Amino acid sequence: MFKKIRLRFLISFVRCLFLMIKHGRNIKINPLKVYISLSATIKITNGGTLEIKGDRDRVFLSKNTSIHCSGGVLTIGNGVFFNENNHLVCHSSMSIGDDCLFGQNVCFFDSDHKFSNIEQKIRNQGYSTKSVSVADNVWIGAGSVVTKGTSIGAHSVIGANSVVRGLLEGQSVYAGNPVKFVRNIHGNR
């Protein structure tokens, strides 16, 4: 068991080095403090940039997690845990604070497809973008979708299968589709 654990971290270390060579100045990553699962993917295109801080606590990208920075700037703080099948697509700006936890199948998008021109295919109309911000110490439950223009305050909890959009106050619990305030962390409604 100990050898397997050491081997997977060694493989992750080598993958981080490869990403640093491949993407140069477009990626900032500490290979000693970032764990990238074998099936996780990181794609940086169109001048996008990715910074995974990981200078204090390890950042985990679990199985099948994918990050795609397509022209956007994505920053991930210390001690962040992405469970299996998380997806982040950044065309503009996305920041995730320290010590955040994301359940399985959580998706983040800072863009939507434009679709108003009926004479043109939707895929050729580009994107409408607005930044996404997740403050420190946020837990987002499995199956949730965080959409463009979302700002989540520190020490918040988002219930499973929520569709998140807008400004969410810190120290609060939210859930639903669309997401609604449930209570503050201290129990008051």
XYZ file of all heavy atoms in Angstrom, residues 181-184 186-189:
70
model
N -31.554 30.588 -0.399
C -31.026 30.659 0.963
C -31.826 29.709 1.848
O -33.058 29.704 1.825
C -31.140 32.098 1.484
C -30.758 32.264 2.921
C -29.424 32.363 3.282
C -31.723 32.321 3.908
C -29.061 32.518 4.613
C -31.369 32.477 5.233
C -30.037 32.574 5.585
N -31.135 28.891 2.661
C -31.794 27.977 3.591
C -31.689 28.531 5.008
O -32.679 28.669 5.712
C -31.189 26.555 3.506
C -31.775 25.645 4.577
C -31.390 25.969 2.122
N -30.456 28.833 5.422
C -30.225 29.393 6.758
C -28.780 29.854 6.841
O -27.969 29.504 5.996
C -30.512 28.367 7.852
C -29.567 27.174 7.845
C -29.922 26.186 8.954
N -29.081 25.014 8.934
C -27.888 24.913 9.535
N -27.396 25.933 10.210
N -27.188 23.805 9.473
N -28.476 30.625 7.892
C -27.057 30.941 8.068
C -26.420 29.802 8.847
O -27.108 28.948 9.412
C -26.830 32.329 8.683
C -27.255 32.436 10.109
O -27.165 31.484 10.865
N -27.730 33.599 10.498
N -25.112 29.598 11.629
C -25.410 29.573 13.054
C -26.850 29.175 13.345
O -27.294 29.237 14.474
C -25.091 30.929 13.684
C -23.681 31.357 13.423
N -22.610 30.723 14.003
C -23.173 32.306 12.624
C -21.482 31.279 13.566
N -21.793 32.245 12.737
N -27.613 28.807 12.315
C -28.960 28.291 12.516
C -30.078 29.286 12.356
O -31.249 28.914 12.380
N -29.799 30.551 12.191
C -30.864 31.548 12.032
C -31.333 31.623 10.588
O -30.548 31.544 9.680
C -30.363 32.946 12.461
C -29.909 32.960 13.908
O -30.403 32.197 14.733
N -28.941 33.793 14.198
N -32.617 31.812 10.395
C -33.165 31.913 9.029
C -33.179 33.326 8.611
O -33.444 34.240 8.495
C -34.546 31.296 8.946
C -34.445 29.801 9.033
C -35.797 29.162 8.800
N -35.618 27.748 8.860
C -35.646 26.949 7.818
N -35.906 27.409 6.641
N -35.463 25.673 7.952
